[in-house]
Amino acid sequence: MPITHQSVVTSQLQATIVAPTQQDKNIFDFFLRSVLTTINSNIELIIIMDGAQPSVAGVIAKQLPAFAAANIPITVVANEIPKGWEWCINWAIKNRRGEHLITVDSDVILTEDWIGPLLAHFSPGSKVGAVSGVLCYPQTGGVQHCGVVFSEDNARHVYLNMQPDALPLQAFQVQCVIGALCAVSASALEHVGMMDESYFNAYSDFDYFMRIGAAGFSIMIDPRVRAYHWERSSGIHRISSRKTNLARFWRQWGNQIKPDLWQFIGEAVNRFSKTYNFSEKEFYAIDLAASRYESRIFWTKLAEWGITWCGKDDWSHAISGLSELWLPAILGSDGHRHSRPFLILVDNFVSLLGNHYWAKSRAVFREDDIVMDLYGNIVSFQKLQEKSWPGHKVR
């Protein structure tokens, strides 16, 4: 565990950023440059190369003079053998010189004015324990992460693939976020302590933020904070350990998790109703969701959200997983002629992107169909058929 470089610090800093690293050197270079141009000398950066990475070490060496010129404290730790994300975060918790801690993945591209809004939530007397922002796909610009919500037995990244500008304007509370970009307050660190190293490179962040919530702190998303996340590398054994890590998480927290997905969908309905009058519609429902248990709950919730429907076709048997859904092949050659507006339920709305021809045929009869999904998104079906859309990955 050699420390290859450590800047001199004479007083406590405002925050420490820790970035565990197992990364492609070019992606890491994007990350490091974004840090350099968006923080000041009151913020410390800790880079932990978790395993031998000579190409990454070369990028760091090249950028060290720029950090020194900007008077930004930087510490570089190198593990010859990978010890895991949890170990890296714990090292930073114990050795940080900043008051608060910010975890950042080394494949994130930070944008201007990200750090101030995060740390502003930690004013004296605040009970905010952790704050994250909006992570977007660099490939598309769509939402990758802005909080984790839960149904009765599933976790979902809320508003997945949505346009960032369609998100709530104000900061909102969630039960859980991910460690790819998150600030943790000094008070929460004092109460909760170390990461659980019985996890390995997956879901320890879920566990940690649930522990922060259980200690009486709130977990927030600040939509003003935007960054890009490549999802390129998360360390060794992440895929092979996924099932056991996830099982451990549900075993520890299953009885305390609240099914707040339905709250978020209800709030999305309220926002959508500002430009779409649900009270004047009586929908014909089309069920294309592969998640059958959540689908059953969804249809019971519509009346609670002020949405009425006069009939429903369950076409879930005609789809395969979360693949692209072609409505002509599912609804038939006359399906577009239905006189009622459609309410189409899918797992994620991007599965309906490939329906340009059907949308043109449908527009002769109705142009007020809507698509709702199990990530809290509501969109106009016609809007989906624009030439581009910021997002297509479903997870």
Side-chain angles (χ1 to χ4, degrees), residues 337-363:
R337 298 175 180 272
H338 203 288
S339 60
R340 299 279 185 180
F342 284 134
L343 189 163
I344 305 173
L345 175 67
V346 289
D347 290 85
N348 189 262
F349 68 91
V350 297
S351 61
L352 289 173
L353 290 177
N355 283 283
H356 175 76
Y357 171 79
W358 195 90
K360 289 186 67 175
S361 302
R362 176 62 173 160

Side-chain angles (χ1 to χ4, degrees), residues 193-346:
M194 300 291 110
M195 289 270 173
D196 183 353
E197 294 185 28
S198 62
Y199 292 87
F200 194 88
N201 278 339
Y203 298 107
S204 56
D205 48 356
F206 278 35
D207 169 73
Y208 197 72
F209 296 120
M210 292 297 295
R211 286 160 58 195
I212 289 175
F217 296 93
S218 57
I219 312 295
M220 304 298 295
I221 294 291
D222 192 325
R224 297 174 297 173
V225 177
R226 306 280 176 88
Y228 294 99
H229 188 203
W230 288 103
E231 286 191 315
R232 282 293 296 272
S233 177
S234 301
I236 63 171
H237 304 315
R238 179 174 174 84
I239 301 300
S240 59
S241 300
R242 184 179 185 276
K243 287 185 178 180
T244 54
N245 283 327
L246 189 56
R248 179 178 292 108
F249 171 78
W250 279 97
R251 173 168 52 82
Q252 291 177 318
W253 294 104
N255 291 333
Q256 299 180 50
I257 289 172
K258 299 175 183 178
D260 57 348
L261 168 64
W262 313 113
Q263 167 199 327
F264 278 85
I265 296 179
E267 291 171 357
V269 169
N270 288 335
R271 289 194 300 275
F272 198 78
S273 66
K274 294 178 180 178
T275 57
Y276 188 98
N277 193 340
F278 285 101
S279 64
E280 294 181 355
K281 309 290 183 181
E282 190 174 45
F283 292 98
Y284 196 84
I286 304 293
D287 189 336
L288 291 170
S291 303
R292 299 312 303 153
Y293 180 69
E294 290 169 321
S295 169
R296 287 195 291 272
I297 296 177
F298 173 88
W299 296 114
T300 67
K301 292 282 187 179
L302 286 182
E304 180 181 317
W305 299 328
I307 299 175
T308 59
W309 47 285
C310 61
K312 177 166 70 75
D313 286 340
D314 181 356
W315 286 100
S316 60
H317 62 279
I319 66 176
S320 176
L322 301 176
S323 60
E324 190 173 67
L325 304 177
W326 293 348
L327 293 180
I330 296 172
L331 302 182
S333 58
D334 289 328
H336 63 281
R337 298 175 180 272
H338 203 288
S339 60
R340 299 279 185 180
F342 284 134
L343 189 163
I344 305 173
L345 175 67
V346 289

Side-chain angles (χ1 to χ4, degrees), residues 121-142:
H121 290 270
F122 301 151
S123 58
S126 170
K127 288 299 289 181
V128 175
V131 189
S132 184
V134 180
L135 293 174
C136 300
Y137 290 112
Q139 303 92 331
T140 65

